[in-house]
Amino acid sequence: MAIAPSKCFLSPKALTDRPSILPFPAKSPSSLSFTSSRSNFPIQTLRKSLDPAKISTLPVEIHAATSSEAKPTILVSEKLGEAGLEVLRSFADVDCSYSLSQEDLLARIPLCDALIVRSGTQVTREVFEAAKGRLRVVGRAGVGIDNVDLQAATEHGCLVVNAPTANTVAAAEHGIALMAAMARNVAAADASMKAGKWQRNKYVGVSLVGKTLAVMGFGKVGSEVARRAKGLGMHVIAHDPYAPSDRARAIGAELVSFDEAISTADFISLHMPLTPTTSKVFNDETFGKMKKGVRIINVARGGVIDEDALVRALDNGTVAQAALDVFTVEPPSKDSKLVQHENVTVTPHLGASTKEAQEGVAIEIAEAVVGALNGELAATAVNAPMVPAEVLSELAPYVVLAEKLGRLAVQLVAGGSGIKGVKVVYSSARDPDDLDTRLLRAMITKGIVEPISSVFVNLVNADYTAKQRGLRISEERVSHDGSPEVPLDSIQVHLGNVESKFAGAMADAGEIIVEGRVKDGIPHLTLVGSFSVDVSLEGNIILCRQVDQPGMIGKVGNILGSSNVNVSFMSVGRTAARKQAIMAIGVDEEPTKETLKKIGEVPAVEEFVFLKL
Ligand SMILES: NC(=O)c1ccc[n+]([C@@H]2O[C@H](COP(=O)([O-])OP(=O)(O)OC[C@H]3O[C@@H](n4cnc5c(N)ncnc54)[C@H](O)[C@@H]3O)[C@@H](O)[C@H]2O)c1
Ligand SMILES: O=C(O)[C@H](O)COP(=O)(O)O
């Protein structure tokens, strides 16, 4: 796919319309090497806090598509509601392929920017590897993300989003339906009648009213089940190590320990996620602690039950009945003893399968995926920090500043000296709790890592990438006597224990230091080593260290002018009059080697460096 990296100017409206920001900021053209496997479409850097009149003149990096080919491709591998597909089709080429084998999925994934799945598609590490960097979002049209290898997604910089709320009620209703159907033998009696029998004595059930129900996992589905069970006259207890007791109290459920829940309940309904802690938490030992004749409902995940142990507990009467919507392996084998057991009622993972829930889930996931591909940070991101829109909006210019400072700092390092320690110092009048720096840290990492590697860094994989490269990033806060209305006064990036190709960037402590501030919404470089400068961080920068004397600006300016290099800014910082000074020159074009050589030949110039932003 042919994509031209180009510098464009965004209209004030485009910049202010969306309070959102770049989980996938495009690499800046200076360091960019496009491969045909990663498509890019407009990803904008928001500058909402800026004066629109000024915004219109700010260059914003956009990777503009050269043709309609640049539409992203979204693979939908399991049935998705029509309303969600419409949202997707209005934005992307949508490939609905509902019965792909794993092999077919691996073959198709390198052509896709996003993948939307339900619980039936295994999004394994192999899938991310096969995507060769193009896959940027996996959308799970539902809650459980245990079929997505989150670690692999994060390592590959791929955002995973889910739709956590739209099927809650459907799952809770299915739990209640299974409980009632099991207690009254509805499925077995139905099958018996259809076989021509009339067995009124065989299918005598048990009542729900007055019975104790233990809800295991008091989250969204669990609490809705509890609410409905209260309406049926049940006594509801719940176990959830992380649930607030006031939420349980408000519903009239009592939070108890695991052992108390399972040993006192007549019915146990499972609503926890499948995690390493909950895997097979219902096993021989825990079945042994239950009341004889207990009844179990599972609409959570099959893997929380040791299924062989459940068959034994059913056979020996510890468990009188079970109603199961989910299984360790789906679909389970046709001769599964559990599925075939006469005291077990089963459904094929139908918890979320109502028309209403599927339409809701489809819209929820389609909007999240489109938003993420557009550069917004999804509110339902599973493997990236969720930064509220207001925070994103006010930090936007600082995000640009952070990346540029990282990019500048790394270019000042002399070849051969590896970077290990990065210290970021934020000067702010805000209380530390009111300043979320995760985004800034991620962007500094991006700025440092991208110019020296082929890794694509974003908010999802920034911390992981830093760790992988042995880059220790520490953060410090310095309190500033300004207005807390302004999030930050300055950001400093310190690279420790390195040598610099520009000695002027080394501070006394033997570190490279660059500092920046946002002025009128525009990022500025304000300190290099121990020299104060003031140059807006746009285009490219030449730093010259020289003996402070009259006429230097004119001499260097003349050299650049005669080579047709446009100077946007010049700023001189010095330690003391007539001693050392640093000249920071913003240039729109990249000077040729000959031009740079001429600058180096000016007698008072002691060193200089050309830096791409
Ligand atoms: N059958 C279906 O079609 C269907 C539909 C929706 C949800 N689900 C599944 O239902 C489960 C719950 O979904 P949800 O939306 O309520 O999720 P949720 O995150 O809102 O709730 C899960 C709750 O489990 C609790 N929990 C975590 N570890 C626990 C433990 N060791 N013991 C007890 N509680 C623990 C959490 O604190 C949380 O409150 C998930 O496994 C989800 O995948 C299934
Ligand atoms: O986790 C979920 O959302 C449910 O298990 C539903 O899964 P499904 O989308 O495959 O029906």
Side-chain angles (χ1 to χ4, degrees), residues 78 117-120 140-146 163 167 171 299-301 325-326 330 349-353 358 361:
E78 290 176 73
V117 301
R118 287 177 60 184
S119 58
R140 161 57 167 118
V143 186
I145 29 93
D146 40 302
N167 67 23
V299 291
R301 282 294 178 268
D325 183 47
V326 284
E330 294 185 359
H349 202 147
L350 292 182
S353 297
Q358 282 313 306
V361 163

Side-chain angles (χ1 to χ4, degrees), residues 65-189:
T66 49
S67 74
S68 60
E69 271 187 308
K71 257 183 155 186
T73 299
I74 301 176
L75 174 62
V76 181
S77 68
E78 290 176 73
K79 182 130 182 52
L80 194 70
E82 199 47 45
L85 289 174
E86 270 171 37
V87 173
L88 297 176
R89 287 189 187 117
S90 66
F91 172 77
D93 291 328
V94 181
D95 172 3
C96 293
S97 296
Y98 294 153
S99 25
L100 288 179
S101 65
Q102 196 69 5
E103 206 181 16
D104 291 341
L105 175 64
L106 293 180
R108 200 162 302 194
I109 207 69
L111 307 172
C112 304
D113 302 284
L115 167 67
I116 295 184
V117 301
R118 287 177 60 184
S119 58
T121 306
Q122 294 307 313
V123 193
T124 58
R125 178 171 288 278
E126 275 182 309
V127 173
F128 293 104
E129 282 165 2
K132 299 203 166 60
R134 177 157 169 183
L135 185 67
R136 301 198 278 156
V137 191
V138 171
R140 161 57 167 118
V143 186
I145 29 93
D146 40 302
N147 53 323
V148 181
D149 186 333
L150 276 187
Q151 178 62 29
T154 304
E155 287 174 24
H156 288 81
C158 180
L159 184 72
V160 179
V161 288
N162 70 350
T165 57
N167 67 23
T168 298
V169 167
E173 287 179 350
H174 198 60
I176 295 288
L178 280 179
M179 178 167 68
M182 166 178 68
R184 303 305 296 268
N185 302 306
V186 172

